[in-house]
Amino acid sequence: MAEYSALALLKNALTGNRDWKPAWRKPEPKPEYDVVVVGGGGHGLATAYYLAREHGITNVAVVEKGWLGSGNVGRNTTIVRSNYMLPANVRFYEHSMKLWENLSHELNYNVMFSQRGILNLAHTPSQADDFIRRGNAMLHDGADAVWLTPAEIAKKVPGLDVSAKARFPIVGGLLQPRAGTARHDAVAWGYARGADRLGVDILENCEVTGFLREGERVTGVATARGEIRAKKVAIAVAGSTGRVMKLAGIDRLPIESHVLQAFVSESLKPVIDTVVTFGAGHLYVSQSDKGGLVFGGDIDGYNSYAQRGNLPVVEEVMSEMASLFPGLAPVRLLRSWGGIMDMSMDGSPIITTGPLPGMFLNSGWCYGGFKATPASGWCFAWTIAKDAPHPLNAAFTLDRFHRGAVIDEKGQGATPRLH
Amino acid sequence: MLIPCPYCGPRDVSEFTYQGDANRPRPDPLSTDRQAWDGYVYDRLNTAGDHREYWQHSGGCRAHLVVVRSTLTHAIVSAGFARDEAAAKPKKTRRKAGAKP
Ligand SMILES: Cc1cc2nc3c(=O)[nH]c(=O)nc-3n(C[C@H](O)[C@H](O)[C@H](O)COP(=O)(O)OP(=O)(O)OC[C@H]3O[C@@H](n4cnc5c(N)ncnc54)[C@H](O)[C@@H]3O)c2cc1C
Ligand SMILES: [Zn+2]
């Protein structure tokens, strides 16, 4: 029987909830593992889960410097979509979408995946053409997309200013109906529990402070809880990639760390039942199941590890919110926070063997890595198990920059703050 | 965040445009050293701590600045004109008109 079921709920309710097992154990580190995954965020945990589940590699540890979910997986705006245009990206993110669609069932853990759709608003005829082209590319690669007229948008999102007097009038919008949101913490906890039950050791408060080396080869990690040897060391530390890779002697990478802020308002009755993005600036908004409006905008735009942002972006995001939804202008903001993202030079991720023997790297998620969590873990596990990428992540190597094979979805060139 | 422009004084960050990492040595324009160009375009130190970077006071005097700022705290350590640094650097030998590359 599944650990979490209606019957188990009822039984535990009657017995005072005393018999639930902890979602994951708190084991002591073993001296050696087949694979050590550095970083207990969504991607690291998903990687460990798929290593065990898809490849039978269960002698695995996930080492996390803080507590599970203390990184970006617990501080994002929870948007899941596959509305990309370049083939390598659509296929990868659509694979992720398919994994999302079955994730709660597979993990026996309710990740609250809600396919409420995402609507990208277009404000000029040329932007409309561009979005329709993107929609066609998505359809070609097996994703879903629908073009909506302003009248259809007004019906779908009441409260949105679709009038001609709006500062940036809305000429239409691209809807991906299967996109949506998921409960971010639950994704980390669900993968953690799944991995734990398959034998993976999850080691919290276990910061990696150095790498064990034999010549060029990486043979383990030095941690706050002692040295741990490993046949393979896999790194999935998101915004900390620069710092962690320096510990291995790699001091330059095609990555910059930047801060992204997000905001949540006081709780409201249901007002927005989809995800809306404002194409004339940069704003995305949805309403959480608790009623708060969750929204964010652009990164602050300069290198940062500060995990907090500055006020100009707050002002910009708020003014965009008020111009899109004039009726929501009086709503009060409850909290804001920042997370550090590993912005890559072309805006696309890196899931690769190397750069040193014995090492594997998962990075470059920019501000779209939450949606990638399942496919990222799935592809990274494959890459680690087989010492070679799966066709779905074969384009996301580290050497693509130097081969001239960049995947530049936005066409911005090698300027991370613009992706 | 306030950036102390050496010409205008301390001004709000929203008056400035970030122009990125100032630790990247730009190869000689005549160079065909592929690795050097690759490194210049794509590789970054991504410093956690004091970081040398270019900013333009685009909403003010329009000067280009070299700012040293902590990426951990946003604290500004120093700000000077980029032209002063450029002038202090030894001049590269320039190719004479008509000379063979
Ligand atoms: C404000 C904000 C909003 C976002 N919104 C979205 C969105 O709507 N949709 C979307 O798809 N993406 C979004 N993202 C991006 C997404 O959250 C990230 O790309 C993704 O979560 C990164 O992968 P992760 O979950 O593994 O990272 P993390 O959860 O950050 O995991 C990395 C882990 O590594 C650990 N670590 C670091 N250094 C060490 C060390 N030395 N030793 C051991 N462990 C270490 C960290 O503590 C951390 O737990 C957003 C990001 C932010 C900040
Ligand atoms: Zn000035």
Side-chain angles (χ1 to χ4, degrees):
Chain A
M1 189 184 77
E3 228 174 297
Y4 295 152
S5 65
L7 193 61
L9 265 180
L10 188 66
K11 209 180 110 221
N12 279 283
L14 295 175
T15 56
N17 285 313
R18 276 185 306 263
D19 298 329
W20 294 115
K21 278 196 268 169
W24 57 90
R25 296 162 294 130
K26 305 253 180 215
E28 282 307 308
K30 289 193 256 175
E32 176 158 15
Y33 292 91
D34 289 338
V35 180
V36 163
V37 180
V38 184
H43 294 213
L45 293 165
T47 303
Y49 171 77
Y50 291 114
L51 272 171
R53 156 97 204 231
E54 300 284 314
H55 305 281
I57 303 174
T58 56
N59 185 24
V60 174
V62 176
V63 296
E64 162 56 44
K65 78 170 174 196
W67 67 93
L68 279 200
S70 53
N72 287 345
V73 69
R75 59 179 74 223
N76 62 70
T77 44
T78 77
I79 301 167
V80 173
R81 56 184 174 85
S82 60
N83 54 358
Y84 285 74
M85 193 167 79
L86 299 179
N89 279 339
V90 195
R91 279 170 212 158
F92 173 82
Y93 287 103
E94 183 52 25
H95 180 64
S96 211
M97 187 65 86
K98 297 227 165 71
L99 293 172
W100 278 113
E101 285 176 321
N102 192 39
L103 197 60
S104 292
H105 178 73
E106 171 170 354
L107 295 175
N108 174 230
Y109 201 101
N110 188 0
V111 301
M112 297 164 76
F113 182 47
S114 156
Q115 292 180 294
R116 55 186 71 185
I118 186 166
L119 174 64
N120 300 140
L121 300 174
H123 306 272
T124 62
S126 56
Q127 200 179 16
D129 288 349
D130 188 49
F131 280 1
I132 290 167
R133 177 169 170 236
R134 173 181 300 267
N136 285 334
M138 289 163 63
L139 292 173
H140 271 296
D141 275 310
D144 57 315
V146 185
W147 180 253
L148 298 188
T149 62
E152 289 165 325
I153 290 171
K155 238 172 102 191
K156 184 160 178 60
V157 193
L160 196 62
D161 185 1
V162 293
S163 70
K165 69 170 192 352
R167 173 69 181 81
F168 295 100
I170 292 162
V171 303
L174 186 68
L175 177 74
Q176 182 178 26
R178 284 162 63 246
T181 58
R183 171 77 200 275
H184 48 4
D185 300 309
V187 174
W189 299 334
Y191 272 122
R193 190 182 66 124
D196 175 273
R197 296 296 185 266
L198 293 169
V200 170
D201 283 357
I202 292 167
L203 309 172
E204 289 168 278
N205 298 310
C206 190
E207 178 166 3
V208 167
T209 53
F211 286 85
L212 310 182
R213 301 277 288 266
E214 273 162 29
E216 273 282 271
R217 192 170 189 86
V218 173
T219 56
V221 287
T223 78
R225 296 171 69 179
E227 291 189 350
I228 305 174
R229 297 182 60 79
K231 296 196 182 75
K232 296 178 178 182
V233 174
I235 295 167
V237 294
S240 301
T241 303
R243 283 200 268 190
V244 171
M245 293 298 282
K246 275 197 183 61
L247 300 173
I250 309 276
D251 66 351
R252 285 178 189 264
L253 280 170
I255 284 176
E256 281 183 0
S257 295
H258 285 250
V259 69
L260 177 66
Q261 303 187 59
F263 312 90
V264 64
S265 77
E266 59 190 328
S267 280
L268 307 174
K269 288 191 172 169
V271 280
I272 302 174
D273 66 358
T274 184
V275 183
V276 181
T277 80
F278 176 46
H282 198 182
L283 170 88
Y284 32 93
V285 54
S286 63
Q287 189 168 18
S288 85
D289 296 349
K290 282 193 286 188
L293 298 172
V294 181
F295 52 108
D298 268 322
I299 57 178
D300 277 26
Y302 35 90
N303 292 48
S304 175
Y305 285 94
Q307 217 145 282
R308 67 183 167 81
N310 273 305
L311 288 171
V313 168
V314 184
E315 188 184 1
E316 187 181 311
V317 171
M318 298 308 136
S319 59
E320 288 179 8
M321 181 70 201
S323 84
L324 262 192
F325 294 97
L328 295 178
V331 172
R332 274 168 302 188
L333 207 60
L334 207 59
R335 292 186 289 127
S336 74
W337 64 93
I340 303 304
M341 284 119 9
D342 39 335
M343 302 298 296
S344 68
M345 291 293 142
D346 60 0
S348 293
I350 295 161
I351 309 177
T352 198
T353 54
L356 297 172
M359 181 188 259
F360 299 81
L361 179 63
N362 177 306
S363 171
W365 291 102
C366 302
Y367 49 110
F370 176 64
K371 70 176 81 68
T373 307
S376 166
W378 195 92
C379 287
F380 200 34
W382 176 291
T383 307
I384 297 161
K386 317 236 176 210
D387 289 301
H390 184 272
L392 280 170
N393 65 307
F396 299 143
T397 54
L398 188 56
D399 70 351
R400 70 172 181 269
F401 300 97
H402 309 303
R403 285 187 293 112
V406 293
I407 309 164
D408 189 351
E409 182 83 23
K410 272 188 149 187
Q412 301 278 29
T415 308
R417 72 195 138 93
L418 301 180
H419 284 288
Chain B
M1 191 160 105
L2 292 176
I3 297 181
C5 173
Y7 189 72
C8 313
R11 295 297 185 94
D12 190 83
V13 63
S14 56
E15 289 185 12
F16 295 81
T17 311
Y18 187 56
Q19 294 177 318
D21 193 331
N23 299 298
R24 300 185 292 143
R26 190 190 171 113
D28 185 325
L30 294 181
S31 157
T32 53
D33 179 344
R34 204 184 124 174
Q35 232 183 331
W37 281 108
D38 264 3
Y40 171 68
V41 175
Y42 294 118
D43 292 339
R44 300 289 191 276
L45 276 174
N46 198 19
T47 308
D50 290 352
H51 187 233
R52 271 171 47 83
E53 50 201 24
Y54 294 120
W55 291 80
Q56 188 190 6
H57 194 186
S58 45
C61 66
R62 304 196 61 77
H64 293 268
L65 311 178
V66 174
V67 175
V68 178
R69 179 184 61 95
S70 168
T71 58
L72 294 167
T73 62
H74 298 314
I76 310 274
V77 180
S78 66
F81 291 118
R83 60 170 186 259
D84 291 345
E85 276 205 18
K89 265 194 213 146
K91 280 254 172 356
K92 291 233 178 75
T93 42
R94 288 254 175 98
R95 182 161 65 114
K96 288 204 193 82
K100 281 201 187 115

